[in-house]
Amino acid sequence: MTKILLIGSGGREHTIATTLVKSQNVHLFALPGNPGISRIAQIVALNAKNHQEISNFCLDNSIDLVVIGPEQPIADGLSDVLRSDGINVFAPSRSAAQLETSKLFAKQFMEKYNIPTARFRAFDKSQKQAASDYILNSDLPVVIKADGLAAGKGVIVATTTGEALQAIEEMFGGSFGSAGEKIVVEEFMQGEEASIFAITDGSNFVTLAPAQDHKRILDGDKGKNTGGMGAYCPAPIVTPEVLEKVKSQIIIPTLKGMSEEGHPYVGCLYVGLMINEGNPKVVEYNCRFGDPETQAVLSVFDGDFAELLFSAAKGELNASAIREISRGYATCVVLASKGYPDKYETGFEITGLDEITDNVIVYHAGTKEIDGKIHTNGGRVLGVTALGASLKESQTNAYKAVDIIHFENKYFRRDIAAKGIKYSS
Ligand code: AMP
Ligand code: GLY
């Protein structure tokens, strides 16, 4: 029996949990979990911020592996506390996670190791004038990024100089707290985005099905940035040739460089790409699985996921734990509360969850169970994920299920996967 503790409470974690319990002989614990996760895992009632308490729980209960879903506990050093107590962890150390937690670290690292990315300049708070001068001489659009973690809100793609100057004013003015004390100003990259997850033990790695996220709130990639309104995989933009380049020009030098820097990277390395005419460049790294890409990627995964993550955590990646990276296609449509990513209401009962068909999995994100009934409890509520033999079929199945599930103020995009389907027609 492999005892696994999963940290997190979102749609990504419900998907990781669902895939882990498909493995033989797994007993899953979750902290704090959500109503979807609670059906397949034993919920642990501990303070998620008290790392030593979590470590003690693992030691007392002979936990074999801890899988950390979100970036915040990794940035706060949970992996380091657990590892120092001899517990296997699938997540990078705090110092390796700097690839996500500091944009400046990531850019300087990529520059040093010749990893393709947008040209950039970095400025700190004392260099506001120099940053303004640099922007005045930059081509438009220009991209301004706060250095630290800012819940996906620290990136401004400015189409006018005025907007760019206002962005640095706000960042240096403290609107992102200490995350904005340093900024990166970078060149705008043309192309189409894709996300690739590499599962790694620090030196060896395997990639999962390439996916595409839909970050904007409105159809046609318009409106505000969100945590992600849907995803699909495998993404046709990532051809076998592009994937080879991603491995040789990005993933291999990243893992090698991180080891050389003294921060060996163990866990899931999320590579956010901009692909232009078959050439991939890094937009961002994340130190964890993506949300909602994971909902699509793991729904097509065929293999022993628990063994894959456990072997990586132990430093002996077992690539044969994967039978097929993708069995068919998957589309995940996020059902959100109207008003998200700004103000929205919650507390509405969700109906139709019992009526969905076999080829659809509904992952819980912002839900709450009251007297056996599921209610909305967040901006992103559910990830309705459907399989299909083609991308189009998975999309059709997903939207059929979306029509069956009801709650007040339900909002979703109607064009998830459309960009990928264009390639096949
Ligand atoms: P990030 O948090 O760094 O992934 O940035 C958020 C979003 O901003 C990305 O998903 C892209 O859509 C966009 N973006 C960031 N950097 C660039 C860039 N240099 N060129 C074009 N778009 C970018
Ligand atoms: N879907 C984007 C992210 O997880 O950062």
Side-chain angles (χ1 to χ4, degrees):
M1 177 67 72
T2 311
K3 289 180 162 183
I4 304 177
L5 171 64
L6 172 66
I7 308 289
S9 63
R12 165 184 49 210
E13 287 76 26
H14 187 194
T15 314
I16 292 172
T18 303
T19 317
L20 283 172
V21 299
K22 283 184 189 159
S23 293
Q24 297 274 309
N25 287 324
V26 165
H27 185 91
L28 188 64
F29 297 86
L31 172 66
N34 69 29
I37 297 172
S38 71
R39 284 170 168 62
I40 50 177
Q42 189 176 332
I43 299 298
V44 176
L46 285 179
N47 176 0
K49 292 216 177 321
N50 188 335
H51 295 174
Q52 198 52 55
E53 211 176 292
I54 297 174
S55 196
N56 294 344
F57 169 84
C58 293
L59 295 171
D60 292 346
N61 292 279
S62 311
I63 297 292
D64 298 293
L65 172 69
V66 179
V67 177
I68 308 178
E71 65 277 15
Q72 197 62 54
I74 303 174
D76 293 342
L78 176 58
S79 339
D80 306 77
V81 170
L82 297 170
R83 280 204 185 93
S84 70
D85 285 347
I87 298 158
N88 294 306
V89 187
F90 184 81
S93 64
R94 181 185 202 153
S95 61
Q98 286 178 95
L99 283 179
E100 173 170 359
T101 60
S102 167
K103 302 263 186 213
L104 184 52
F105 176 92
K107 296 300 288 190
Q108 287 171 338
F109 173 83
M110 286 186 269
E111 188 171 55
K112 180 168 173 188
Y113 290 93
N114 261 321
I115 295 166
T117 187
R119 276 195 310 271
F120 77 102
R121 278 280 301 274
F123 301 93
D124 67 27
K125 238 172 148 171
S126 71
Q127 298 167 305
K128 197 160 111 188
Q129 190 55 48
S132 307
D133 293 344
Y134 183 74
I135 281 167
L136 289 171
N137 288 309
S138 295
D139 290 336
L140 293 169
V142 62
V143 183
I144 325 282
K145 299 185 175 184
D147 176 50
L149 283 183
K153 297 188 184 111
V155 174
I156 307 288
V157 178
T159 48
T160 64
T161 306
E163 226 181 304
L165 293 175
Q166 192 192 335
I168 61 168
E169 229 15 274
E170 282 174 15
M171 285 184 193
F172 285 146
S175 59
F176 295 100
S178 59
E181 278 174 13
K182 289 185 208 152
I183 61 165
V184 168
V185 180
E186 68 178 42
E187 159 201 28
F188 178 79
M189 293 184 281
Q190 303 285 350
E192 198 173 315
E193 288 182 73
S195 315
I196 293 191
F197 304 160
I199 306 298
T200 177
D201 61 7
S203 44
N204 297 313
F205 70 94
V206 287
T207 54
L208 302 183
Q212 194 170 54
D213 188 9
H214 298 65
K215 287 210 169 93
R216 305 294 193 99
I217 187 74
L218 301 174
D219 284 10
D221 294 332
K222 304 242 162 47
K224 286 195 168 166
N225 254 319
T226 70
M229 293 302 293
Y232 69 88
C233 80
I237 177 94
V238 184
T239 59
E241 294 74 30
V242 170
L243 185 59
E244 261 331 295
K245 288 183 191 170
V246 172
K247 289 180 182 175
S248 63
Q249 300 174 6
I250 298 171
I251 299 173
I252 292 172
T254 300
L255 298 180
K256 198 162 168 285
M258 288 300 280
S259 288
E260 279 172 30
E261 297 292 310
H263 314 301
Y265 191 101
V266 176
C268 175
L269 176 70
Y270 170 126
V271 187
L273 300 165
M274 189 69 81
I275 301 163
N276 194 18
E277 295 176 356
N279 291 312
K281 288 185 177 179
V282 177
V283 178
E284 64 164 345
Y285 292 109
N286 288 319
C287 65
R288 36 121 189 126
F289 288 98
D291 191 342
E293 293 97 318
T294 300
Q295 284 83 320
V297 170
L298 293 186
S299 296
V300 297
F301 174 86
D302 180 23
D304 187 340
F305 191 56
E307 164 61 12
L308 184 68
L309 302 196
F310 195 21
S311 66
K314 286 187 288 190
E316 46 199 44
L317 184 75
N318 177 5
S320 69
I322 301 180
R323 276 188 295 275
E324 261 187 284
I325 281 169
S326 50
R327 275 184 85 167
Y329 293 80
T331 297
C332 167
V333 179
V334 169
L335 300 188
S337 301
K338 193 169 147 240
Y340 171 78
D342 299 320
K343 266 180 69 161
Y344 53 82
E345 283 178 67
T346 61
F348 302 112
E349 189 181 336
I350 304 171
T351 58
L353 290 171
D354 298 331
E355 292 160 41
I356 52 154
T357 51
D358 276 355
N359 52 15
V360 179
I361 316 153
V362 180
Y363 297 113
H364 289 233
T367 66
K368 189 173 183 177
E369 191 161 355
I370 305 167
D371 297 332
K373 292 189 171 142
I374 305 294
H375 291 72
T376 64
N377 192 42
R380 290 191 295 171
V381 179
L382 297 167
V384 178
T385 309
L387 303 172
S390 65
L391 196 49
K392 179 74 200 159
E393 194 181 304
S394 71
Q395 185 200 44
T396 305
N397 290 339
Y399 280 105
K400 267 190 210 156
V402 161
D403 282 341
I404 295 173
I405 298 168
H406 298 286
F407 56 86
E408 225 171 285
N409 289 356
K410 177 175 100 173
Y411 172 79
F412 58 95
R413 270 180 67 161
R414 292 183 179 273
D415 63 346
I416 304 301
K419 268 198 287 192
I421 291 166
K422 257 194 344 226
Y423 284 90
S424 42
S425 53

